[in-house]
Amino acid sequence: MSKLTRFLATAFVFLAAWLATLLGYVPVPEIAMEFVPALPLWIIVSFGAYSLASIGWSLVTFGDCPEAHQELLQEIQQAKADLRRLKVTVD
Amino acid sequence: MATAQDKAVGGLFLFIAAAVWLYYTAWVFLLPFVDADHFLHALFLPREYAILIPTALLVVGVSGIAGFIALSVAKSNAKKKAKTQKKAN
């Protein structure tokens, strides 16, 4: 089973549980109905915030290496030359 | 050495992400349990906006991505067409 299928299956289970709660098939305390409708949106917003934070964190803690940078640029030039020789359109 | 600018941008991202998450979590989960006449409610918009704003942003975001994909496909098709026409001439 691929990761996508597994993710979709989990998402479907959560969605079904949330829908059941929303439509009243699951007994919950009255106050819970204040935020149950917003739960999926909250999950999406939290995921977005987590993604942004992880990008920011990587930016802050990333240690780049100038020699590897130069080496990589040279390798890119070589690869482009090779590909052009083989008649592949490169940018 | 991630440049100082990179670190600044990263720090800004972290701050925005944390602020947005804290505000939204408080909005959705904390406010229902706070009495209606507490001053805290003045810091938050009416709760319908807790649904409206993320949904609107999602719609705009997904449309933007779809538009970008459509544009890239159209550009690559135009390039392919131009190439086959050049070969035919």
Side-chain angles (χ1 to χ4, degrees), chain B residues 48-75:
Chain B
E48 305 79 50
Y49 287 98
I51 313 273
L52 279 177
I53 296 182
T55 326
L57 285 174
L58 265 171
V59 167
V60 167
V62 171
S63 321
I65 293 175
F68 174 75
I69 293 179
L71 245 159
S72 314
V73 167
K75 221 170 32 168

PDB file of all heavy atoms in Angstrom, chain B residues 48-75:
ATOM      1  N   GLU B  48     -17.016  33.993  13.314  1.00  0.00           N
ATOM      2  CA  GLU B  48     -17.268  33.507  11.951  1.00  0.00           C
ATOM      3  C   GLU B  48     -16.012  33.661  11.107  1.00  0.00           C
ATOM      4  O   GLU B  48     -15.746  32.866  10.206  1.00  0.00           O
ATOM      5  CB  GLU B  48     -18.405  34.277  11.289  1.00  0.00           C
ATOM      6  CG  GLU B  48     -19.709  34.280  12.064  1.00  0.00           C
ATOM      7  CD  GLU B  48     -19.684  35.268  13.200  1.00  0.00           C
ATOM      8  OE1 GLU B  48     -19.320  36.442  12.970  1.00  0.00           O
ATOM      9  OE2 GLU B  48     -20.001  34.848  14.306  1.00  0.00           O
ATOM     10  N   TYR B  49     -15.221  34.732  11.388  1.00  0.00           N
ATOM     11  CA  TYR B  49     -14.013  34.962  10.601  1.00  0.00           C
ATOM     12  C   TYR B  49     -12.979  33.869  10.807  1.00  0.00           C
ATOM     13  O   TYR B  49     -12.094  33.673   9.986  1.00  0.00           O
ATOM     14  CB  TYR B  49     -13.404  36.318  10.937  1.00  0.00           C
ATOM     15  CG  TYR B  49     -14.190  37.472  10.377  1.00  0.00           C
ATOM     16  CD1 TYR B  49     -15.099  38.167  11.155  1.00  0.00           C
ATOM     17  CD2 TYR B  49     -14.035  37.844   9.056  1.00  0.00           C
ATOM     18  CE1 TYR B  49     -15.827  39.214  10.628  1.00  0.00           C
ATOM     19  CE2 TYR B  49     -14.761  38.878   8.516  1.00  0.00           C
ATOM     20  CZ  TYR B  49     -15.656  39.568   9.302  1.00  0.00           C
ATOM     21  OH  TYR B  49     -16.378  40.598   8.779  1.00  0.00           O
ATOM     22  N   ALA B  50     -13.112  33.114  11.949  1.00  0.00           N
ATOM     23  CA  ALA B  50     -12.178  32.007  12.159  1.00  0.00           C
ATOM     24  C   ALA B  50     -12.355  30.952  11.091  1.00  0.00           C
ATOM     25  O   ALA B  50     -11.446  30.176  10.812  1.00  0.00           O
ATOM     26  CB  ALA B  50     -12.382  31.400  13.541  1.00  0.00           C
ATOM     27  N   ILE B  51     -13.537  30.865  10.494  1.00  0.00           N
ATOM     28  CA  ILE B  51     -13.779  29.931   9.402  1.00  0.00           C
ATOM     29  C   ILE B  51     -13.544  30.608   8.068  1.00  0.00           C
ATOM     30  O   ILE B  51     -12.953  30.044   7.161  1.00  0.00           O
ATOM     31  CB  ILE B  51     -15.226  29.390   9.463  1.00  0.00           C
ATOM     32  CG1 ILE B  51     -15.582  28.942  10.872  1.00  0.00           C
ATOM     33  CG2 ILE B  51     -15.424  28.326   8.428  1.00  0.00           C
ATOM     34  CD1 ILE B  51     -15.216  27.535  11.167  1.00  0.00           C
ATOM     35  N   LEU B  52     -14.038  31.866   7.956  1.00  0.00           N
ATOM     36  CA  LEU B  52     -13.993  32.549   6.667  1.00  0.00           C
ATOM     37  C   LEU B  52     -12.575  32.772   6.183  1.00  0.00           C
ATOM     38  O   LEU B  52     -12.243  32.458   5.050  1.00  0.00           O
ATOM     39  CB  LEU B  52     -14.701  33.902   6.781  1.00  0.00           C
ATOM     40  CG  LEU B  52     -16.218  33.877   6.696  1.00  0.00           C
ATOM     41  CD1 LEU B  52     -16.773  35.267   6.896  1.00  0.00           C
ATOM     42  CD2 LEU B  52     -16.642  33.333   5.347  1.00  0.00           C
ATOM     43  N   ILE B  53     -11.720  33.353   7.047  1.00  0.00           N
ATOM     44  CA  ILE B  53     -10.392  33.772   6.584  1.00  0.00           C
ATOM     45  C   ILE B  53      -9.557  32.593   6.098  1.00  0.00           C
ATOM     46  O   ILE B  53      -9.019  32.642   4.990  1.00  0.00           O
ATOM     47  CB  ILE B  53      -9.671  34.570   7.689  1.00  0.00           C
ATOM     48  CG1 ILE B  53     -10.435  35.847   7.975  1.00  0.00           C
ATOM     49  CG2 ILE B  53      -8.257  34.862   7.281  1.00  0.00           C
ATOM     50  CD1 ILE B  53      -9.802  36.724   9.010  1.00  0.00           C
ATOM     51  N   PRO B  54      -9.434  31.489   6.864  1.00  0.00           N
ATOM     52  CA  PRO B  54      -8.622  30.385   6.325  1.00  0.00           C
ATOM     53  C   PRO B  54      -9.221  29.799   5.051  1.00  0.00           C
ATOM     54  O   PRO B  54      -8.484  29.439   4.135  1.00  0.00           O
ATOM     55  CB  PRO B  54      -8.631  29.351   7.451  1.00  0.00           C
ATOM     56  CG  PRO B  54      -8.918  30.120   8.670  1.00  0.00           C
ATOM     57  CD  PRO B  54      -9.845  31.203   8.252  1.00  0.00           C
ATOM     58  N   THR B  55     -10.564  29.678   4.999  1.00  0.00           N
ATOM     59  CA  THR B  55     -11.168  29.130   3.792  1.00  0.00           C
ATOM     60  C   THR B  55     -10.883  30.011   2.592  1.00  0.00           C
ATOM     61  O   THR B  55     -10.521  29.519   1.514  1.00  0.00           O
ATOM     62  CB  THR B  55     -12.696  28.996   3.964  1.00  0.00           C
ATOM     63  OG1 THR B  55     -12.981  28.670   5.314  1.00  0.00           O
ATOM     64  CG2 THR B  55     -13.259  27.951   3.055  1.00  0.00           C
ATOM     65  N   ALA B  56     -11.048  31.337   2.768  1.00  0.00           N
ATOM     66  CA  ALA B  56     -10.772  32.252   1.655  1.00  0.00           C
ATOM     67  C   ALA B  56      -9.313  32.117   1.214  1.00  0.00           C
ATOM     68  O   ALA B  56      -9.020  32.042   0.019  1.00  0.00           O
ATOM     69  CB  ALA B  56     -11.079  33.684   2.076  1.00  0.00           C
ATOM     70  N   LEU B  57      -8.390  32.084   2.184  1.00  0.00           N
ATOM     71  CA  LEU B  57      -6.981  31.957   1.837  1.00  0.00           C
ATOM     72  C   LEU B  57      -6.712  30.652   1.099  1.00  0.00           C
ATOM     73  O   LEU B  57      -5.954  30.613   0.130  1.00  0.00           O
ATOM     74  CB  LEU B  57      -6.119  32.013   3.101  1.00  0.00           C
ATOM     75  CG  LEU B  57      -5.946  33.397   3.720  1.00  0.00           C
ATOM     76  CD1 LEU B  57      -5.193  33.289   5.030  1.00  0.00           C
ATOM     77  CD2 LEU B  57      -5.194  34.298   2.767  1.00  0.00           C
ATOM     78  N   LEU B  58      -7.345  29.554   1.567  1.00  0.00           N
ATOM     79  CA  LEU B  58      -7.161  28.264   0.909  1.00  0.00           C
ATOM     80  C   LEU B  58      -7.629  28.329  -0.536  1.00  0.00           C
ATOM     81  O   LEU B  58      -6.943  27.867  -1.454  1.00  0.00           O
ATOM     82  CB  LEU B  58      -7.936  27.171   1.652  1.00  0.00           C
ATOM     83  CG  LEU B  58      -7.146  26.370   2.665  1.00  0.00           C
ATOM     84  CD1 LEU B  58      -8.075  25.483   3.462  1.00  0.00           C
ATOM     85  CD2 LEU B  58      -6.110  25.518   1.972  1.00  0.00           C
ATOM     86  N   VAL B  59      -8.816  28.911  -0.746  1.00  0.00           N
ATOM     87  CA  VAL B  59      -9.356  28.992  -2.106  1.00  0.00           C
ATOM     88  C   VAL B  59      -8.400  29.777  -2.990  1.00  0.00           C
ATOM     89  O   VAL B  59      -8.048  29.349  -4.096  1.00  0.00           O
ATOM     90  CB  VAL B  59     -10.755  29.643  -2.083  1.00  0.00           C
ATOM     91  CG1 VAL B  59     -11.177  30.028  -3.477  1.00  0.00           C
ATOM     92  CG2 VAL B  59     -11.764  28.692  -1.478  1.00  0.00           C
ATOM     93  N   VAL B  60      -7.944  30.937  -2.495  1.00  0.00           N
ATOM     94  CA  VAL B  60      -7.019  31.756  -3.285  1.00  0.00           C
ATOM     95  C   VAL B  60      -5.735  30.977  -3.558  1.00  0.00           C
ATOM     96  O   VAL B  60      -5.233  30.945  -4.685  1.00  0.00           O
ATOM     97  CB  VAL B  60      -6.723  33.073  -2.545  1.00  0.00           C
ATOM     98  CG1 VAL B  60      -5.555  33.782  -3.179  1.00  0.00           C
ATOM     99  CG2 VAL B  60      -7.942  33.957  -2.539  1.00  0.00           C
ATOM    100  N   GLY B  61      -5.205  30.307  -2.525  1.00  0.00           N
ATOM    101  CA  GLY B  61      -3.957  29.574  -2.689  1.00  0.00           C
ATOM    102  C   GLY B  61      -4.072  28.460  -3.711  1.00  0.00           C
ATOM    103  O   GLY B  61      -3.233  28.329  -4.617  1.00  0.00           O
ATOM    104  N   VAL B  62      -5.124  27.643  -3.589  1.00  0.00           N
ATOM    105  CA  VAL B  62      -5.281  26.515  -4.509  1.00  0.00           C
ATOM    106  C   VAL B  62      -5.504  27.031  -5.930  1.00  0.00           C
ATOM    107  O   VAL B  62      -4.949  26.486  -6.896  1.00  0.00           O
ATOM    108  CB  VAL B  62      -6.437  25.606  -4.049  1.00  0.00           C
ATOM    109  CG1 VAL B  62      -6.735  24.571  -5.101  1.00  0.00           C
ATOM    110  CG2 VAL B  62      -6.083  24.928  -2.746  1.00  0.00           C
ATOM    111  N   SER B  63      -6.309  28.101  -6.082  1.00  0.00           N
ATOM    112  CA  SER B  63      -6.512  28.672  -7.418  1.00  0.00           C
ATOM    113  C   SER B  63      -5.202  29.166  -7.985  1.00  0.00           C
ATOM    114  O   SER B  63      -4.915  28.963  -9.171  1.00  0.00           O
ATOM    115  CB  SER B  63      -7.508  29.827  -7.373  1.00  0.00           C
ATOM    116  OG  SER B  63      -8.543  29.550  -6.496  1.00  0.00           O
ATOM    117  N   GLY B  64      -4.380  29.814  -7.149  1.00  0.00           N
ATOM    118  CA  GLY B  64      -3.090  30.286  -7.622  1.00  0.00           C
ATOM    119  C   GLY B  64      -2.224  29.150  -8.117  1.00  0.00           C
ATOM    120  O   GLY B  64      -1.612  29.231  -9.197  1.00  0.00           O
ATOM    121  N   ILE B  65      -2.192  28.048  -7.345  1.00  0.00           N
ATOM    122  CA  ILE B  65      -1.381  26.908  -7.755  1.00  0.00           C
ATOM    123  C   ILE B  65      -1.909  26.323  -9.044  1.00  0.00           C
ATOM    124  O   ILE B  65      -1.159  26.023  -9.980  1.00  0.00           O
ATOM    125  CB  ILE B  65      -1.372  25.841  -6.636  1.00  0.00           C
ATOM    126  CG1 ILE B  65      -0.641  26.385  -5.415  1.00  0.00           C
ATOM    127  CG2 ILE B  65      -0.727  24.559  -7.117  1.00  0.00           C
ATOM    128  CD1 ILE B  65      -0.680  25.467  -4.230  1.00  0.00           C
ATOM    129  N   ALA B  66      -3.243  26.155  -9.136  1.00  0.00           N
ATOM    130  CA  ALA B  66      -3.833  25.604 -10.356  1.00  0.00           C
ATOM    131  C   ALA B  66      -3.527  26.498 -11.545  1.00  0.00           C
ATOM    132  O   ALA B  66      -3.174  26.015 -12.638  1.00  0.00           O
ATOM    133  CB  ALA B  66      -5.343  25.445 -10.179  1.00  0.00           C
ATOM    134  N   GLY B  67      -3.637  27.817 -11.357  1.00  0.00           N
ATOM    135  CA  GLY B  67      -3.335  28.733 -12.446  1.00  0.00           C
ATOM    136  C   GLY B  67      -1.897  28.621 -12.889  1.00  0.00           C
ATOM    137  O   GLY B  67      -1.581  28.620 -14.084  1.00  0.00           O
ATOM    138  N   PHE B  68      -0.985  28.518 -11.917  1.00  0.00           N
ATOM    139  CA  PHE B  68       0.430  28.393 -12.259  1.00  0.00           C
ATOM    140  C   PHE B  68       0.680  27.121 -13.055  1.00  0.00           C
ATOM    141  O   PHE B  68       1.424  27.122 -14.043  1.00  0.00           O
ATOM    142  CB  PHE B  68       1.276  28.399 -10.986  1.00  0.00           C
ATOM    143  CG  PHE B  68       2.716  28.125 -11.235  1.00  0.00           C
ATOM    144  CD1 PHE B  68       3.528  29.085 -11.789  1.00  0.00           C
ATOM    145  CD2 PHE B  68       3.271  26.891 -10.924  1.00  0.00           C
ATOM    146  CE1 PHE B  68       4.867  28.846 -12.031  1.00  0.00           C
ATOM    147  CE2 PHE B  68       4.603  26.636 -11.161  1.00  0.00           C
ATOM    148  CZ  PHE B  68       5.402  27.612 -11.710  1.00  0.00           C
ATOM    149  N   ILE B  69       0.055  25.997 -12.628  1.00  0.00           N
ATOM    150  CA  ILE B  69       0.236  24.742 -13.357  1.00  0.00           C
ATOM    151  C   ILE B  69      -0.292  24.883 -14.779  1.00  0.00           C
ATOM    152  O   ILE B  69       0.359  24.466 -15.750  1.00  0.00           O
ATOM    153  CB  ILE B  69      -0.473  23.589 -12.614  1.00  0.00           C
ATOM    154  CG1 ILE B  69       0.227  23.327 -11.275  1.00  0.00           C
ATOM    155  CG2 ILE B  69      -0.488  22.334 -13.456  1.00  0.00           C
ATOM    156  CD1 ILE B  69      -0.402  22.234 -10.462  1.00  0.00           C
ATOM    157  N   ALA B  70      -1.499  25.489 -14.896  1.00  0.00           N
ATOM    158  CA  ALA B  70      -2.082  25.667 -16.231  1.00  0.00           C
ATOM    159  C   ALA B  70      -1.154  26.488 -17.121  1.00  0.00           C
ATOM    160  O   ALA B  70      -0.919  26.155 -18.284  1.00  0.00           O
ATOM    161  CB  ALA B  70      -3.445  26.340 -16.110  1.00  0.00           C
ATOM    162  N   LEU B  71      -0.606  27.593 -16.547  1.00  0.00           N
ATOM    163  CA  LEU B  71       0.303  28.429 -17.319  1.00  0.00           C
ATOM    164  C   LEU B  71       1.529  27.651 -17.783  1.00  0.00           C
ATOM    165  O   LEU B  71       1.949  27.742 -18.941  1.00  0.00           O
ATOM    166  CB  LEU B  71       0.753  29.603 -16.450  1.00  0.00           C
ATOM    167  CG  LEU B  71       0.311  30.982 -16.904  1.00  0.00           C
ATOM    168  CD1 LEU B  71       0.379  31.944 -15.735  1.00  0.00           C
ATOM    169  CD2 LEU B  71       1.191  31.478 -18.030  1.00  0.00           C
ATOM    170  N   SER B  72       2.135  26.852 -16.853  1.00  0.00           N
ATOM    171  CA  SER B  72       3.338  26.101 -17.217  1.00  0.00           C
ATOM    172  C   SER B  72       3.033  25.101 -18.311  1.00  0.00           C
ATOM    173  O   SER B  72       3.812  24.954 -19.260  1.00  0.00           O
ATOM    174  CB  SER B  72       3.891  25.377 -15.990  1.00  0.00           C
ATOM    175  OG  SER B  72       3.931  26.230 -14.902  1.00  0.00           O
ATOM    176  N   VAL B  73       1.893  24.415 -18.213  1.00  0.00           N
ATOM    177  CA  VAL B  73       1.535  23.432 -19.242  1.00  0.00           C
ATOM    178  C   VAL B  73       1.339  24.136 -20.578  1.00  0.00           C
ATOM    179  O   VAL B  73       1.837  23.689 -21.616  1.00  0.00           O
ATOM    180  CB  VAL B  73       0.254  22.677 -18.828  1.00  0.00           C
ATOM    181  CG1 VAL B  73      -0.308  21.903 -19.992  1.00  0.00           C
ATOM    182  CG2 VAL B  73       0.541  21.747 -17.678  1.00  0.00           C
ATOM    183  N   ALA B  74       0.621  25.291 -20.556  1.00  0.00           N
ATOM    184  CA  ALA B  74       0.383  26.022 -21.803  1.00  0.00           C
ATOM    185  C   ALA B  74       1.706  26.454 -22.425  1.00  0.00           C
ATOM    186  O   ALA B  74       1.910  26.336 -23.634  1.00  0.00           O
ATOM    187  CB  ALA B  74      -0.506  27.229 -21.527  1.00  0.00           C
ATOM    188  N   LYS B  75       2.628  26.964 -21.572  1.00  0.00           N
ATOM    189  CA  LYS B  75       3.916  27.415 -22.106  1.00  0.00           C
ATOM    190  C   LYS B  75       4.685  26.244 -22.736  1.00  0.00           C
ATOM    191  O   LYS B  75       5.273  26.377 -23.810  1.00  0.00           O
ATOM    192  CB  LYS B  75       4.738  28.057 -20.984  1.00  0.00           C
ATOM    193  CG  LYS B  75       5.442  29.284 -21.464  1.00  0.00           C
ATOM    194  CD  LYS B  75       6.134  30.198 -20.492  1.00  0.00           C
ATOM    195  CE  LYS B  75       6.742  29.673 -19.269  1.00  0.00           C
ATOM    196  NZ  LYS B  75       7.596  30.695 -18.615  1.00  0.00           N
TER     197      LYS B  75
END
